[in-house]
Amino acid sequence: MNAYDLARGLHILAVIAWMAGMLFLPRLYAYDAEQADKPEPLRSEMQALLRLWQLRLLRIIINPAMILAFVFGGWLLWLRSGEGADWGFVAQPWMIAKLAGVFALSAWHGFLAGARKKIAAGTSTRSGRFWRMTNEIPFVIAIVMVLSVTLEWTFG
């Protein structure tokens, strides 16, 4: 086993955990939004439970997984560069697409974290339909990222 394969495996595992959390969290938000029509005390009890799950998912799985994905991804970049010698590959179209995907996933992560705060404060205006419609955003971004890295496509 070499360092590159180890870094790649750990990066993939971290990304899987990050993606799993970001695919599930909007579903919890949808369930939370749909509690508005429920009678008390069932509504309050269910919202309290959903909000606890939301917080735990974000703090215990999603945030640490993102940090680990960044750490192992950075390690991969460093190893791929020849341990800091040649960074030319970063300007390749496939890597630009991958890094754009990292930025987009990070932005979506930030959006979800901000939404959790609004939901917890009771100030969210998002519907269950909104959360279901946006639930697959991370997966669509991941498709572009994975194909970019595995195919290493170029123009010309």
Side-chain angles (χ1 to χ4, degrees):
M1 170 176 47
N2 62 39
Y4 188 82
D5 288 338
L6 176 62
R8 184 172 50 177
L10 292 172
H11 179 67
I12 290 168
L13 291 171
V15 170
I16 288 170
W18 188 24
M19 290 293 297
M22 290 204 307
L23 289 167
F24 187 58
L25 190 58
R27 196 53 74 163
L28 291 176
Y29 292 168
Y31 299 153
D32 192 297
E34 291 163 356
Q35 296 307 305
D37 301 340
K38 305 284 195 258
E40 287 292 346
L42 181 61
R43 176 181 52 194
S44 295
E45 290 175 20
M46 187 56 127
Q47 280 182 326
L49 184 59
L50 286 165
R51 291 172 187 182
L52 178 62
W53 291 346
Q54 294 162 13
L55 179 65
R56 287 181 177 170
L57 181 60
L58 195 59
R59 288 194 178 160
I60 297 171
I61 296 173
I62 299 174
N63 289 345
M66 180 195 70
I67 291 165
L68 289 172
F70 277 31
V71 167
F72 296 132
W75 187 20
L76 277 171
L77 287 172
W78 185 73
L79 290 169
R80 173 108 186 197
S81 73
E83 299 183 358
D86 181 14
W87 290 90
F89 72 96
V90 177
Q92 294 294 318
W94 66 270
M95 183 53 80
I96 293 169
K98 162 72 181 216
L99 295 174
V102 171
F103 178 79
L105 280 179
S106 300
W108 183 246
H109 181 142
F111 177 79
L112 292 177
R116 191 209 59 81
K117 290 178 183 176
K118 289 179 182 175
I119 291 168
T123 61
S124 176
T125 58
R126 306 283 184 194
S127 67
R129 179 169 159 56
F130 170 83
W131 291 115
R132 281 188 173 77
M133 300 267 306
T134 61
N135 190 62
E136 300 304 323
I137 287 173
F139 186 66
V140 172
I141 296 168
I143 291 170
V144 173
M145 294 170 68
V146 169
L147 291 178
S148 295
V149 171
T150 56
L151 299 176
E152 291 190 11
W153 45 269
T154 60
F155 296 120

mmCIF file with all atom_site columns, all heavy atoms in Angstrom, residues 81-106:
data_model
loop_
_atom_site.group_PDB
_atom_site.id
_atom_site.type_symbol
_atom_site.label_atom_id
_atom_site.label_alt_id
_atom_site.label_comp_id
_atom_site.label_asym_id
_atom_site.label_entity_id
_atom_site.label_seq_id
_atom_site.pdbx_PDB_ins_code
_atom_site.Cartn_x
_atom_site.Cartn_y
_atom_site.Cartn_z
_atom_site.occupancy
_atom_site.B_iso_or_equiv
_atom_site.pdbx_formal_charge
_atom_site.auth_seq_id
_atom_site.auth_comp_id
_atom_site.auth_asym_id
_atom_site.auth_atom_id
_atom_site.pdbx_PDB_model_num
ATOM 1   N N   . SER A 1 81  ? 0.869   16.229 -6.614  1.00 0.00 ? 81  SER A N   1
ATOM 2   C CA  . SER A 1 81  ? 1.792   17.250 -7.127  1.00 0.00 ? 81  SER A CA  1
ATOM 3   C C   . SER A 1 81  ? 3.237   16.779 -7.096  1.00 0.00 ? 81  SER A C   1
ATOM 4   O O   . SER A 1 81  ? 4.127   17.494 -7.529  1.00 0.00 ? 81  SER A O   1
ATOM 5   C CB  . SER A 1 81  ? 1.663   18.537 -6.306  1.00 0.00 ? 81  SER A CB  1
ATOM 6   O OG  . SER A 1 81  ? 2.257   18.361 -5.028  1.00 0.00 ? 81  SER A OG  1
ATOM 7   N N   . GLY A 1 82  ? 3.462   15.600 -6.573  1.00 0.00 ? 82  GLY A N   1
ATOM 8   C CA  . GLY A 1 82  ? 4.840   15.134 -6.420  1.00 0.00 ? 82  GLY A CA  1
ATOM 9   C C   . GLY A 1 82  ? 5.415   15.686 -5.130  1.00 0.00 ? 82  GLY A C   1
ATOM 10  O O   . GLY A 1 82  ? 6.555   16.127 -5.082  1.00 0.00 ? 82  GLY A O   1
ATOM 11  N N   . GLU A 1 83  ? 4.567   15.703 -4.101  1.00 0.00 ? 83  GLU A N   1
ATOM 12  C CA  . GLU A 1 83  ? 4.920   16.205 -2.769  1.00 0.00 ? 83  GLU A CA  1
ATOM 13  C C   . GLU A 1 83  ? 5.359   17.663 -2.827  1.00 0.00 ? 83  GLU A C   1
ATOM 14  O O   . GLU A 1 83  ? 6.381   18.051 -2.270  1.00 0.00 ? 83  GLU A O   1
ATOM 15  C CB  . GLU A 1 83  ? 5.944   15.292 -2.103  1.00 0.00 ? 83  GLU A CB  1
ATOM 16  C CG  . GLU A 1 83  ? 5.386   13.896 -1.921  1.00 0.00 ? 83  GLU A CG  1
ATOM 17  C CD  . GLU A 1 83  ? 6.315   12.945 -1.202  1.00 0.00 ? 83  GLU A CD  1
ATOM 18  O OE1 . GLU A 1 83  ? 7.444   13.320 -0.845  1.00 0.00 ? 83  GLU A OE1 1
ATOM 19  O OE2 . GLU A 1 83  ? 5.879   11.808 -0.996  1.00 0.00 ? 83  GLU A OE2 1
ATOM 20  N N   . GLY A 1 84  ? 4.535   18.449 -3.532  1.00 0.00 ? 84  GLY A N   1
ATOM 21  C CA  . GLY A 1 84  ? 4.724   19.894 -3.563  1.00 0.00 ? 84  GLY A CA  1
ATOM 22  C C   . GLY A 1 84  ? 5.525   20.418 -4.727  1.00 0.00 ? 84  GLY A C   1
ATOM 23  O O   . GLY A 1 84  ? 5.719   21.621 -4.852  1.00 0.00 ? 84  GLY A O   1
ATOM 24  N N   . ALA A 1 85  ? 5.956   19.551 -5.643  1.00 0.00 ? 85  ALA A N   1
ATOM 25  C CA  . ALA A 1 85  ? 6.863   19.978 -6.712  1.00 0.00 ? 85  ALA A CA  1
ATOM 26  C C   . ALA A 1 85  ? 6.154   20.569 -7.937  1.00 0.00 ? 85  ALA A C   1
ATOM 27  O O   . ALA A 1 85  ? 6.622   21.552 -8.496  1.00 0.00 ? 85  ALA A O   1
ATOM 28  C CB  . ALA A 1 85  ? 7.734   18.801 -7.151  1.00 0.00 ? 85  ALA A CB  1
ATOM 29  N N   . ASP A 1 86  ? 5.033   19.980 -8.372  1.00 0.00 ? 86  ASP A N   1
ATOM 30  C CA  . ASP A 1 86  ? 4.401   20.400 -9.625  1.00 0.00 ? 86  ASP A CA  1
ATOM 31  C C   . ASP A 1 86  ? 2.888   20.472 -9.458  1.00 0.00 ? 86  ASP A C   1
ATOM 32  O O   . ASP A 1 86  ? 2.216   19.454 -9.390  1.00 0.00 ? 86  ASP A O   1
ATOM 33  C CB  . ASP A 1 86  ? 4.767   19.417 -10.737 1.00 0.00 ? 86  ASP A CB  1
ATOM 34  C CG  . ASP A 1 86  ? 4.153   19.797 -12.080 1.00 0.00 ? 86  ASP A CG  1
ATOM 35  O OD1 . ASP A 1 86  ? 3.672   20.933 -12.224 1.00 0.00 ? 86  ASP A OD1 1
ATOM 36  O OD2 . ASP A 1 86  ? 4.159   18.935 -12.975 1.00 0.00 ? 86  ASP A OD2 1
ATOM 37  N N   . TRP A 1 87  ? 2.367   21.693 -9.446  1.00 0.00 ? 87  TRP A N   1
ATOM 38  C CA  . TRP A 1 87  ? 0.936   21.919 -9.247  1.00 0.00 ? 87  TRP A CA  1
ATOM 39  C C   . TRP A 1 87  ? 0.197   22.200 -10.550 1.00 0.00 ? 87  TRP A C   1
ATOM 40  O O   . TRP A 1 87  ? -0.950  22.637 -10.537 1.00 0.00 ? 87  TRP A O   1
ATOM 41  C CB  . TRP A 1 87  ? 0.726   23.071 -8.268  1.00 0.00 ? 87  TRP A CB  1
ATOM 42  C CG  . TRP A 1 87  ? 1.115   22.691 -6.879  1.00 0.00 ? 87  TRP A CG  1
ATOM 43  C CD1 . TRP A 1 87  ? 2.354   22.837 -6.321  1.00 0.00 ? 87  TRP A CD1 1
ATOM 44  C CD2 . TRP A 1 87  ? 0.304   22.078 -5.894  1.00 0.00 ? 87  TRP A CD2 1
ATOM 45  N NE1 . TRP A 1 87  ? 2.361   22.353 -5.035  1.00 0.00 ? 87  TRP A NE1 1
ATOM 46  C CE2 . TRP A 1 87  ? 1.095   21.881 -4.742  1.00 0.00 ? 87  TRP A CE2 1
ATOM 47  C CE3 . TRP A 1 87  ? -1.019  21.662 -5.855  1.00 0.00 ? 87  TRP A CE3 1
ATOM 48  C CZ2 . TRP A 1 87  ? 0.613   21.293 -3.584  1.00 0.00 ? 87  TRP A CZ2 1
ATOM 49  C CZ3 . TRP A 1 87  ? -1.506  21.081 -4.692  1.00 0.00 ? 87  TRP A CZ3 1
ATOM 50  C CH2 . TRP A 1 87  ? -0.692  20.902 -3.572  1.00 0.00 ? 87  TRP A CH2 1
ATOM 51  N N   . GLY A 1 88  ? 0.814   21.919 -11.699 1.00 0.00 ? 88  GLY A N   1
ATOM 52  C CA  . GLY A 1 88  ? 0.206   22.210 -12.992 1.00 0.00 ? 88  GLY A CA  1
ATOM 53  C C   . GLY A 1 88  ? -1.133  21.529 -13.218 1.00 0.00 ? 88  GLY A C   1
ATOM 54  O O   . GLY A 1 88  ? -2.001  22.071 -13.896 1.00 0.00 ? 88  GLY A O   1
ATOM 55  N N   . PHE A 1 89  ? -1.322  20.330 -12.651 1.00 0.00 ? 89  PHE A N   1
ATOM 56  C CA  . PHE A 1 89  ? -2.575  19.598 -12.843 1.00 0.00 ? 89  PHE A CA  1
ATOM 57  C C   . PHE A 1 89  ? -3.789  20.343 -12.280 1.00 0.00 ? 89  PHE A C   1
ATOM 58  O O   . PHE A 1 89  ? -4.913  20.103 -12.704 1.00 0.00 ? 89  PHE A O   1
ATOM 59  C CB  . PHE A 1 89  ? -2.485  18.196 -12.229 1.00 0.00 ? 89  PHE A CB  1
ATOM 60  C CG  . PHE A 1 89  ? -2.500  18.195 -10.726 1.00 0.00 ? 89  PHE A CG  1
ATOM 61  C CD1 . PHE A 1 89  ? -3.668  17.999 -10.031 1.00 0.00 ? 89  PHE A CD1 1
ATOM 62  C CD2 . PHE A 1 89  ? -1.322  18.405 -10.008 1.00 0.00 ? 89  PHE A CD2 1
ATOM 63  C CE1 . PHE A 1 89  ? -3.684  18.000 -8.641  1.00 0.00 ? 89  PHE A CE1 1
ATOM 64  C CE2 . PHE A 1 89  ? -1.324  18.412 -8.627  1.00 0.00 ? 89  PHE A CE2 1
ATOM 65  C CZ  . PHE A 1 89  ? -2.501  18.211 -7.942  1.00 0.00 ? 89  PHE A CZ  1
ATOM 66  N N   . VAL A 1 90  ? -3.571  21.249 -11.351 1.00 0.00 ? 90  VAL A N   1
ATOM 67  C CA  . VAL A 1 90  ? -4.687  21.985 -10.740 1.00 0.00 ? 90  VAL A CA  1
ATOM 68  C C   . VAL A 1 90  ? -5.375  22.885 -11.764 1.00 0.00 ? 90  VAL A C   1
ATOM 69  O O   . VAL A 1 90  ? -6.559  23.196 -11.625 1.00 0.00 ? 90  VAL A O   1
ATOM 70  C CB  . VAL A 1 90  ? -4.193  22.797 -9.512  1.00 0.00 ? 90  VAL A CB  1
ATOM 71  C CG1 . VAL A 1 90  ? -5.299  23.632 -8.909  1.00 0.00 ? 90  VAL A CG1 1
ATOM 72  C CG2 . VAL A 1 90  ? -3.644  21.849 -8.457  1.00 0.00 ? 90  VAL A CG2 1
ATOM 73  N N   . ALA A 1 91  ? -4.673  23.255 -12.828 1.00 0.00 ? 91  ALA A N   1
ATOM 74  C CA  . ALA A 1 91  ? -5.251  24.097 -13.879 1.00 0.00 ? 91  ALA A CA  1
ATOM 75  C C   . ALA A 1 91  ? -5.938  23.289 -14.976 1.00 0.00 ? 91  ALA A C   1
ATOM 76  O O   . ALA A 1 91  ? -6.491  23.871 -15.911 1.00 0.00 ? 91  ALA A O   1
ATOM 77  C CB  . ALA A 1 91  ? -4.162  24.986 -14.491 1.00 0.00 ? 91  ALA A CB  1
ATOM 78  N N   . GLN A 1 92  ? -5.935  21.975 -14.865 1.00 0.00 ? 92  GLN A N   1
ATOM 79  C CA  . GLN A 1 92  ? -6.608  21.132 -15.857 1.00 0.00 ? 92  GLN A CA  1
ATOM 80  C C   . GLN A 1 92  ? -8.126  21.255 -15.694 1.00 0.00 ? 92  GLN A C   1
ATOM 81  O O   . GLN A 1 92  ? -8.632  21.403 -14.566 1.00 0.00 ? 92  GLN A O   1
ATOM 82  C CB  . GLN A 1 92  ? -6.188  19.670 -15.687 1.00 0.00 ? 92  GLN A CB  1
ATOM 83  C CG  . GLN A 1 92  ? -4.741  19.397 -15.997 1.00 0.00 ? 92  GLN A CG  1
ATOM 84  C CD  . GLN A 1 92  ? -4.435  19.631 -17.464 1.00 0.00 ? 92  GLN A CD  1
ATOM 85  O OE1 . GLN A 1 92  ? -5.215  19.259 -18.343 1.00 0.00 ? 92  GLN A OE1 1
ATOM 86  N NE2 . GLN A 1 92  ? -3.313  20.266 -17.735 1.00 0.00 ? 92  GLN A NE2 1
ATOM 87  N N   . PRO A 1 93  ? -8.883  21.181 -16.803 1.00 0.00 ? 93  PRO A N   1
ATOM 88  C CA  . PRO A 1 93  ? -10.350 21.326 -16.711 1.00 0.00 ? 93  PRO A CA  1
ATOM 89  C C   . PRO A 1 93  ? -11.012 20.360 -15.733 1.00 0.00 ? 93  PRO A C   1
ATOM 90  O O   . PRO A 1 93  ? -11.932 20.741 -15.010 1.00 0.00 ? 93  PRO A O   1
ATOM 91  C CB  . PRO A 1 93  ? -10.810 21.046 -18.148 1.00 0.00 ? 93  PRO A CB  1
ATOM 92  C CG  . PRO A 1 93  ? -9.646  21.419 -19.000 1.00 0.00 ? 93  PRO A CG  1
ATOM 93  C CD  . PRO A 1 93  ? -8.427  21.058 -18.189 1.00 0.00 ? 93  PRO A CD  1
ATOM 94  N N   . TRP A 1 94  ? -10.540 19.112 -15.691 1.00 0.00 ? 94  TRP A N   1
ATOM 95  C CA  . TRP A 1 94  ? -11.161 18.149 -14.790 1.00 0.00 ? 94  TRP A CA  1
ATOM 96  C C   . TRP A 1 94  ? -10.970 18.553 -13.330 1.00 0.00 ? 94  TRP A C   1
ATOM 97  O O   . TRP A 1 94  ? -11.871 18.387 -12.506 1.00 0.00 ? 94  TRP A O   1
ATOM 98  C CB  . TRP A 1 94  ? -10.639 16.733 -15.043 1.00 0.00 ? 94  TRP A CB  1
ATOM 99  C CG  . TRP A 1 94  ? -9.183  16.532 -14.730 1.00 0.00 ? 94  TRP A CG  1
ATOM 100 C CD1 . TRP A 1 94  ? -8.133  16.699 -15.588 1.00 0.00 ? 94  TRP A CD1 1
ATOM 101 C CD2 . TRP A 1 94  ? -8.618  16.136 -13.481 1.00 0.00 ? 94  TRP A CD2 1
ATOM 102 N NE1 . TRP A 1 94  ? -6.946  16.436 -14.948 1.00 0.00 ? 94  TRP A NE1 1
ATOM 103 C CE2 . TRP A 1 94  ? -7.216  16.081 -13.651 1.00 0.00 ? 94  TRP A CE2 1
ATOM 104 C CE3 . TRP A 1 94  ? -9.155  15.816 -12.233 1.00 0.00 ? 94  TRP A CE3 1
ATOM 105 C CZ2 . TRP A 1 94  ? -6.351  15.719 -12.631 1.00 0.00 ? 94  TRP A CZ2 1
ATOM 106 C CZ3 . TRP A 1 94  ? -8.285  15.458 -11.224 1.00 0.00 ? 94  TRP A CZ3 1
ATOM 107 C CH2 . TRP A 1 94  ? -6.909  15.412 -11.416 1.00 0.00 ? 94  TRP A CH2 1
ATOM 108 N N   . MET A 1 95  ? -9.794  19.104 -12.999 1.00 0.00 ? 95  MET A N   1
ATOM 109 C CA  . MET A 1 95  ? -9.544  19.505 -11.614 1.00 0.00 ? 95  MET A CA  1
ATOM 110 C C   . MET A 1 95  ? -10.295 20.794 -11.284 1.00 0.00 ? 95  MET A C   1
ATOM 111 O O   . MET A 1 95  ? -10.785 20.959 -10.161 1.00 0.00 ? 95  MET A O   1
ATOM 112 C CB  . MET A 1 95  ? -8.046  19.678 -11.356 1.00 0.00 ? 95  MET A CB  1
ATOM 113 C CG  . MET A 1 95  ? -7.725  20.033 -9.914  1.00 0.00 ? 95  MET A CG  1
ATOM 114 S SD  . MET A 1 95  ? -8.417  18.923 -8.662  1.00 0.00 ? 95  MET A SD  1
ATOM 115 C CE  . MET A 1 95  ? -7.264  17.595 -8.706  1.00 0.00 ? 95  MET A CE  1
ATOM 116 N N   . ILE A 1 96  ? -10.411 21.685 -12.238 1.00 0.00 ? 96  ILE A N   1
ATOM 117 C CA  . ILE A 1 96  ? -11.199 22.905 -12.020 1.00 0.00 ? 96  ILE A CA  1
ATOM 118 C C   . ILE A 1 96  ? -12.651 22.531 -11.730 1.00 0.00 ? 96  ILE A C   1
ATOM 119 O O   . ILE A 1 96  ? -13.273 23.083 -10.818 1.00 0.00 ? 96  ILE A O   1
ATOM 120 C CB  . ILE A 1 96  ? -11.072 23.861 -13.229 1.00 0.00 ? 96  ILE A CB  1
ATOM 121 C CG1 . ILE A 1 96  ? -9.635  24.397 -13.316 1.00 0.00 ? 96  ILE A CG1 1
ATOM 122 C CG2 . ILE A 1 96  ? -12.087 25.000 -13.137 1.00 0.00 ? 96  ILE A CG2 1
ATOM 123 C CD1 . ILE A 1 96  ? -9.317  25.132 -14.600 1.00 0.00 ? 96  ILE A CD1 1
ATOM 124 N N   . ALA A 1 97  ? -13.182 21.566 -12.496 1.00 0.00 ? 97  ALA A N   1
ATOM 125 C CA  . ALA A 1 97  ? -14.553 21.096 -12.255 1.00 0.00 ? 97  ALA A CA  1
ATOM 126 C C   . ALA A 1 97  ? -14.681 20.469 -10.868 1.00 0.00 ? 97  ALA A C   1
ATOM 127 O O   . ALA A 1 97  ? -15.650 20.707 -10.150 1.00 0.00 ? 97  ALA A O   1
ATOM 128 C CB  . ALA A 1 97  ? -14.977 20.101 -13.332 1.00 0.00 ? 97  ALA A CB  1
ATOM 129 N N   . LYS A 1 98  ? -13.687 19.668 -10.489 1.00 0.00 ? 98  LYS A N   1
ATOM 130 C CA  . LYS A 1 98  ? -13.698 19.035 -9.164  1.00 0.00 ? 98  LYS A CA  1
ATOM 131 C C   . LYS A 1 98  ? -13.681 20.096 -8.060  1.00 0.00 ? 98  LYS A C   1
ATOM 132 O O   . LYS A 1 98  ? -14.461 20.043 -7.112  1.00 0.00 ? 98  LYS A O   1
ATOM 133 C CB  . LYS A 1 98  ? -12.481 18.095 -9.042  1.00 0.00 ? 98  LYS A CB  1
ATOM 134 C CG  . LYS A 1 98  ? -12.091 17.701 -7.631  1.00 0.00 ? 98  LYS A CG  1
ATOM 135 C CD  . LYS A 1 98  ? -13.041 16.741 -6.983  1.00 0.00 ? 98  LYS A CD  1
ATOM 136 C CE  . LYS A 1 98  ? -12.570 16.443 -5.576  1.00 0.00 ? 98  LYS A CE  1
ATOM 137 N NZ  . LYS A 1 98  ? -12.786 15.127 -5.131  1.00 0.00 ? 98  LYS A NZ  1
ATOM 138 N N   . LEU A 1 99  ? -12.793 21.078 -8.184  1.00 0.00 ? 99  LEU A N   1
ATOM 139 C CA  . LEU A 1 99  ? -12.692 22.120 -7.160  1.00 0.00 ? 99  LEU A CA  1
ATOM 140 C C   . LEU A 1 99  ? -13.933 23.004 -7.134  1.00 0.00 ? 99  LEU A C   1
ATOM 141 O O   . LEU A 1 99  ? -14.357 23.452 -6.060  1.00 0.00 ? 99  LEU A O   1
ATOM 142 C CB  . LEU A 1 99  ? -11.417 22.939 -7.370  1.00 0.00 ? 99  LEU A CB  1
ATOM 143 C CG  . LEU A 1 99  ? -10.109 22.146 -7.163  1.00 0.00 ? 99  LEU A CG  1
ATOM 144 C CD1 . LEU A 1 99  ? -8.903  23.005 -7.531  1.00 0.00 ? 99  LEU A CD1 1
ATOM 145 C CD2 . LEU A 1 99  ? -10.006 21.604 -5.757  1.00 0.00 ? 99  LEU A CD2 1
ATOM 146 N N   . ALA A 1 100 ? -14.537 23.237 -8.301  1.00 0.00 ? 100 ALA A N   1
ATOM 147 C CA  . ALA A 1 100 ? -15.806 23.984 -8.338  1.00 0.00 ? 100 ALA A CA  1
ATOM 148 C C   . ALA A 1 100 ? -16.881 23.191 -7.594  1.00 0.00 ? 100 ALA A C   1
ATOM 149 O O   . ALA A 1 100 ? -17.712 23.766 -6.874  1.00 0.00 ? 100 ALA A O   1
ATOM 150 C CB  . ALA A 1 100 ? -16.228 24.254 -9.779  1.00 0.00 ? 100 ALA A CB  1
ATOM 151 N N   . GLY A 1 101 ? -16.861 21.860 -7.747  1.00 0.00 ? 101 GLY A N   1
ATOM 152 C CA  . GLY A 1 101 ? -17.796 21.013 -7.017  1.00 0.00 ? 101 GLY A CA  1
ATOM 153 C C   . GLY A 1 101 ? -17.576 21.074 -5.517  1.00 0.00 ? 101 GLY A C   1
ATOM 154 O O   . GLY A 1 101 ? -18.523 21.107 -4.737  1.00 0.00 ? 101 GLY A O   1
ATOM 155 N N   . VAL A 1 102 ? -16.313 21.108 -5.109  1.00 0.00 ? 102 VAL A N   1
ATOM 156 C CA  . VAL A 1 102 ? -15.992 21.237 -3.682  1.00 0.00 ? 102 VAL A CA  1
ATOM 157 C C   . VAL A 1 102 ? -16.564 22.555 -3.145  1.00 0.00 ? 102 VAL A C   1
ATOM 158 O O   . VAL A 1 102 ? -17.175 22.586 -2.072  1.00 0.00 ? 102 VAL A O   1
ATOM 159 C CB  . VAL A 1 102 ? -14.467 21.169 -3.440  1.00 0.00 ? 102 VAL A CB  1
ATOM 160 C CG1 . VAL A 1 102 ? -14.124 21.531 -1.996  1.00 0.00 ? 102 VAL A CG1 1
ATOM 161 C CG2 . VAL A 1 102 ? -13.936 19.786 -3.775  1.00 0.00 ? 102 VAL A CG2 1
ATOM 162 N N   . PHE A 1 103 ? -16.388 23.622 -3.917  1.00 0.00 ? 103 PHE A N   1
ATOM 163 C CA  . PHE A 1 103 ? -16.934 24.919 -3.510  1.00 0.00 ? 103 PHE A CA  1
ATOM 164 C C   . PHE A 1 103 ? -18.462 24.858 -3.421  1.00 0.00 ? 103 PHE A C   1
ATOM 165 O O   . PHE A 1 103 ? -19.055 25.330 -2.443  1.00 0.00 ? 103 PHE A O   1
ATOM 166 C CB  . PHE A 1 103 ? -16.493 26.009 -4.502  1.00 0.00 ? 103 PHE A CB  1
ATOM 167 C CG  . PHE A 1 103 ? -17.047 27.354 -4.182  1.00 0.00 ? 103 PHE A CG  1
ATOM 168 C CD1 . PHE A 1 103 ? -16.484 28.141 -3.187  1.00 0.00 ? 103 PHE A CD1 1
ATOM 169 C CD2 . PHE A 1 103 ? -18.151 27.844 -4.860  1.00 0.00 ? 103 PHE A CD2 1
ATOM 170 C CE1 . PHE A 1 103 ? -17.008 29.387 -2.877  1.00 0.00 ? 103 PHE A CE1 1
ATOM 171 C CE2 . PHE A 1 103 ? -18.686 29.082 -4.557  1.00 0.00 ? 103 PHE A CE2 1
ATOM 172 C CZ  . PHE A 1 103 ? -18.113 29.858 -3.561  1.00 0.00 ? 103 PHE A CZ  1
ATOM 173 N N   . ALA A 1 104 ? -19.108 24.252 -4.425  1.00 0.00 ? 104 ALA A N   1
ATOM 174 C CA  . ALA A 1 104 ? -20.567 24.159 -4.435  1.00 0.00 ? 104 ALA A CA  1
ATOM 175 C C   . ALA A 1 104 ? -21.085 23.319 -3.269  1.00 0.00 ? 104 ALA A C   1
ATOM 176 O O   . ALA A 1 104 ? -22.065 23.701 -2.609  1.00 0.00 ? 104 ALA A O   1
ATOM 177 C CB  . ALA A 1 104 ? -21.043 23.584 -5.768  1.00 0.00 ? 104 ALA A CB  1
ATOM 178 N N   . LEU A 1 105 ? -20.440 22.180 -2.996  1.00 0.00 ? 105 LEU A N   1
ATOM 179 C CA  . LEU A 1 105 ? -20.862 21.351 -1.859  1.00 0.00 ? 105 LEU A CA  1
ATOM 180 C C   . LEU A 1 105 ? -20.665 22.081 -0.533  1.00 0.00 ? 105 LEU A C   1
ATOM 181 O O   . LEU A 1 105 ? -21.495 21.971 0.371   1.00 0.00 ? 105 LEU A O   1
ATOM 182 C CB  . LEU A 1 105 ? -20.087 20.036 -1.831  1.00 0.00 ? 105 LEU A CB  1
ATOM 183 C CG  . LEU A 1 105 ? -20.552 18.934 -2.762  1.00 0.00 ? 105 LEU A CG  1
ATOM 184 C CD1 . LEU A 1 105 ? -19.661 17.704 -2.626  1.00 0.00 ? 105 LEU A CD1 1
ATOM 185 C CD2 . LEU A 1 105 ? -22.001 18.563 -2.500  1.00 0.00 ? 105 LEU A CD2 1
ATOM 186 N N   . SER A 1 106 ? -19.574 22.818 -0.439  1.00 0.00 ? 106 SER A N   1
ATOM 187 C CA  . SER A 1 106 ? -19.320 23.594 0.783   1.00 0.00 ? 106 SER A CA  1
ATOM 188 C C   . SER A 1 106 ? -20.373 24.678 0.963   1.00 0.00 ? 106 SER A C   1
ATOM 189 O O   . SER A 1 106 ? -20.840 24.922 2.088   1.00 0.00 ? 106 SER A O   1
ATOM 190 C CB  . SER A 1 106 ? -17.924 24.210 0.731   1.00 0.00 ? 106 SER A CB  1
ATOM 191 O OG  . SER A 1 106 ? -16.952 23.203 0.633   1.00 0.00 ? 106 SER A OG  1
#
